[in-house]
Amino acid sequence: LGISQQATAKTMEIGSKAMSMNGVEMIKLTRQVVATGLAIDKDLNQVMADFNTMAPQLTQFGENMTTVFAKLEAQSKATGIAAGDLLNTAMKFDTFEGAAQAAGKLNAILGDTVVDTMALIHASPDEKIEMLRQSLDDAGKSFDDMHRREQQVIATSLGLGSVMEAQKLFNEENADAYESYASNFEKGIDTSKTQDDISRLAKQTATINDVLKGAASNMASTINVATSALRATAETIYKTFTGATD
């Protein structure tokens, strides 16, 4: 699949050290990350790098970690905004203060209470992004039709960095693209193509226990060979010596 061994090793290290996974569970984690990239047709090395970078924030979601990651990757693919940036934006609204400020500014501009502060706090990162995007639709507004000052306030309040990033998020065509990618996850990402590729990855990857067993077996074989060679050498020396003294 052309995935960097270094990136794969990093993902497995995260599974082992941060999440106390065994060898089989680490393989499953890696397969889920790869399946995400295959499902949305995104470069697998980039997807793996995204996961490794985002993992410190994603691990708090436990067994839902890869689901949250997959949906953020789908949003990233649809909008062109880096998945890590989407996660950082969403996590700004994970406190009451952050969510209240964002909701207050959006509601003031949109002229209605379309963003609920408590709902925003308790939503997962991907849900937070979708709630913010949906707020304009609920208010019957179009980001492109807004005055540039309003666009600036929205971009700043959401921490998107620029109006252009906000345009990517609220673009209706990008929203449609996300719905398409999201439907792939609803159906399940193990399509025949995806499953074949994942199976190939699994065959190419040994569990840590297998590696250790293989290393132990190879070491034992090496020791046996060395012992046999030493025995043969000793016998030759003995025969030579005794022959010479006779």
Side-chain angles (χ1 to χ4, degrees):
L1 298 176
I3 303 173
S4 164
Q5 291 182 350
Q6 184 177 4
T8 303
K10 179 63 175 177
T11 301
M12 289 190 169
E13 180 185 5
I14 291 169
S16 173
K17 302 297 184 182
M19 306 187 72
S20 302
M21 291 182 173
N22 59 34
V24 173
E25 290 170 332
M26 284 186 284
I27 293 295
K28 182 180 179 181
L29 172 64
T30 305
R31 291 173 67 179
Q32 289 173 332
V33 175
V34 171
T36 297
L38 292 171
I40 61 176
D41 193 26
K42 188 171 181 177
D43 180 78
L44 297 184
N45 279 302
Q46 182 61 58
V47 172
M48 193 75 75
D50 286 348
F51 178 81
N52 293 339
T53 301
M54 297 160 65
Q57 290 177 291
L58 290 173
T59 52
Q60 64 185 287
F61 299 104
E63 62 182 15
N64 293 322
M65 175 176 66
T66 51
T67 299
V68 172
F69 171 72
K71 290 183 177 180
L72 285 170
E73 280 292 339
Q75 289 173 334
S76 172
K77 176 76 174 184
T79 63
I81 302 173
D85 290 344
L86 288 173
L87 177 60
N88 290 333
T89 295
M91 295 309 290
K92 292 177 182 177
F93 315 127
D94 217 39
T95 65
F96 180 81
E97 181 181 3
Q101 288 181 353
K105 290 180 180 179
L106 274 175
N107 290 335
I109 292 175
L110 299 178
D112 198 357
T113 305
V114 292
V115 181
D116 181 88
T117 299
M118 296 309 296
L120 189 59
I121 292 174
H122 294 296
S124 63
D126 59 286
E127 291 171 340
K128 293 179 196 293
I129 296 297
E130 180 59 17
M131 287 174 64
L132 295 172
R133 189 199 65 75
Q134 187 64 38
S135 65
L136 266 69
D137 288 343
D138 292 343
K141 302 279 188 178
S142 169
F143 188 81
D144 290 338
D145 294 336
M146 288 182 171
H147 189 276
R148 67 184 184 89
R149 296 298 185 189
E150 293 178 317
Q151 293 179 340
Q152 289 174 347
V153 171
I154 291 178
T156 301
S157 63
L158 299 185
L160 291 171
S162 69
V163 170
M164 183 180 72
E165 293 297 282
Q167 287 173 325
K168 292 179 181 178
L169 180 64
F170 294 111
N171 184 292
E172 293 182 5
E173 292 183 2
N174 292 345
D176 291 340
Y178 170 67
E179 293 297 331
S180 176
Y181 291 128
S183 68
N184 289 341
F185 294 118
E186 293 297 329
K187 296 174 184 176
I189 56 179
D190 286 336
T191 60
S192 57
K193 176 181 180 299
T194 302
Q195 190 60 44
D196 288 344
D197 287 336
I198 293 174
S199 296
R200 211 159 5 102
L201 174 66
K203 291 177 182 178
Q204 293 171 354
T205 311
T207 65
I208 291 178
N209 288 336
D210 289 338
V211 172
L212 292 176
K213 289 178 182 178
S217 177
N218 290 337
M219 184 178 293
S221 298
T222 301
I223 292 174
N224 288 337
V225 171
T227 302
S228 298
L230 287 172
R231 185 182 297 111
T233 300
E235 290 176 353
T236 300
I237 293 173
Y238 175 77
K239 290 179 181 179
T240 301
F241 177 77
T242 55
T245 56
D246 283 345

